[in-house]
Amino acid sequence: MGMSDESSLQWTARAPLEVLTDPGAEREGLVVAFTDRRGGVSAAPWNWLNLSGRVGDEPADVQTNHGRTATALGVGPSSLRFADQVHGSRVLSCDGTDGPVVGEGDALVARLPGTTLSILTADCVPVLLRGERGIAAAHAGWRGLAAGVIEAAMAEVGPIDAAWVGPSIRACCYEVGREVIESFEAAGLPIEDDSHVDPNDAAAAILERGAARRVATASGCTSCDDRFFSHRRDGTTGRQGAFIALLG
């Protein structure tokens, strides 16, 4: 695997938001960005930049937040494609789809410009991929990590030239039961101790195993840092986004 490079992900002002992005990605013909909870219009407990329409927030506020995000990314709101995420490993193709919600699954792929792949999280790991055969975005909670959602996405678009691992909950705040530990062990994923795992480290291990040439990883913990939505910390809350698109 290529060197892991945390420094390539930087918080950058992209009016009307600030996003975590890789400045080099645009030079390589990509949009790559992660949002936090700042800069939106949703009321508590979804305050502020909630991007999910499935958590009880006002639909009009979610649409406004989608528009603000699209503006910050420099893409059209109609280009955003989402999945009904179910903590599995199904991969959905977004080329040629008309509606914003592609279907039920936890990874999205595209091979043509004009589509913005969008993953929503509130502790789970968002992973963005650029491969020789297209781009992909994966939503990886512990079930998805153990079930192989990242590997499934890599298989669709690989070999992988670059990968970006976004903000997630870390081992400091992620106490888990025996079921999770055993699932990680069975999948050959790292564990911290007998009651903690680190989803970000697990994603990085999968990318290393899959020979990704370059990996950029976000630092910090979504549960520790209240700039992010965190289901573990707050219960009912919003969702931040991870986005990747091929520039036309």
Side-chain angles (χ1 to χ4, degrees):
M1 184 187 76
M3 183 181 297
S4 180
D5 182 9
E6 183 177 298
S7 64
S8 66
L9 282 172
Q10 303 172 15
W11 286 102
T12 304
R14 295 283 178 87
L17 307 177
E18 186 177 20
V19 298
L20 184 64
T21 187
D22 181 348
E26 188 169 348
R27 295 192 294 271
E28 298 172 3
L30 291 173
V31 173
V32 168
F34 303 90
T35 62
D36 59 12
R37 69 190 302 165
R38 300 172 298 174
V41 300
S42 294
W46 307 282
N47 49 318
W48 295 277
L49 192 70
N50 169 47
L51 299 174
S52 174
R54 303 176 65 192
V55 294
D57 195 3
E58 290 291 335
D61 290 344
V62 176
Q63 286 302 114
T64 297
N65 292 339
H66 284 182
R68 290 189 176 195
T69 301
T71 298
L73 300 179
V75 302
S78 63
S79 77
L80 299 177
R81 294 292 180 269
F82 299 88
D84 281 332
Q85 298 169 185
V86 293
H87 296 277
S89 59
R90 186 183 179 197
V91 181
L92 303 167
S93 175
C94 295
D95 291 320
T97 58
D98 295 326
V101 179
V102 181
E104 190 175 277
D106 287 272
L108 301 169
V109 301
R111 295 174 176 84
L112 302 172
T115 299
T116 305
L117 307 181
S118 313
I119 291 296
L120 304 181
T121 61
D123 285 332
C124 295
V125 190
V127 178
L128 305 177
L129 305 171
R130 183 191 66 198
E132 292 184 6
R133 302 193 305 276
I135 56 173
H139 161 252
W142 74 262
R143 289 183 176 85
L145 287 163
V149 67
I150 297 175
E151 293 93 332
M154 294 173 74
E156 287 288 332
V157 300
I160 302 301
D161 298 318
W164 298 265
V165 181
S168 73
I169 197 169
R170 306 302 295 262
C172 53
C173 294
Y174 200 37
E175 184 175 1
V176 297
R178 192 64 203 162
E179 177 188 8
V180 178
I181 299 296
E182 291 176 352
S183 294
F184 270 47
E185 289 175 337
L189 300 177
I191 60 172
E192 290 290 312
D193 54 41
D194 61 4
S195 61
H196 293 82
V197 298
D198 192 304
N200 193 292
D201 287 350
I206 291 166
L207 293 165
E208 179 176 3
R209 207 157 60 192
R213 297 188 183 103
R214 179 167 64 91
V215 179
T217 59
S219 60
C221 169
T222 51
S223 182
C224 287
D225 189 342
D226 64 7
R227 84 171 70 182
F228 296 107
F229 295 110
S230 170
H231 184 267
R232 173 62 66 104
R233 183 188 65 228
D234 297 329
T236 301
T237 191
R239 299 293 186 270
Q240 53 250 346
F243 304 91
I244 186 167
L246 290 166
L247 295 172

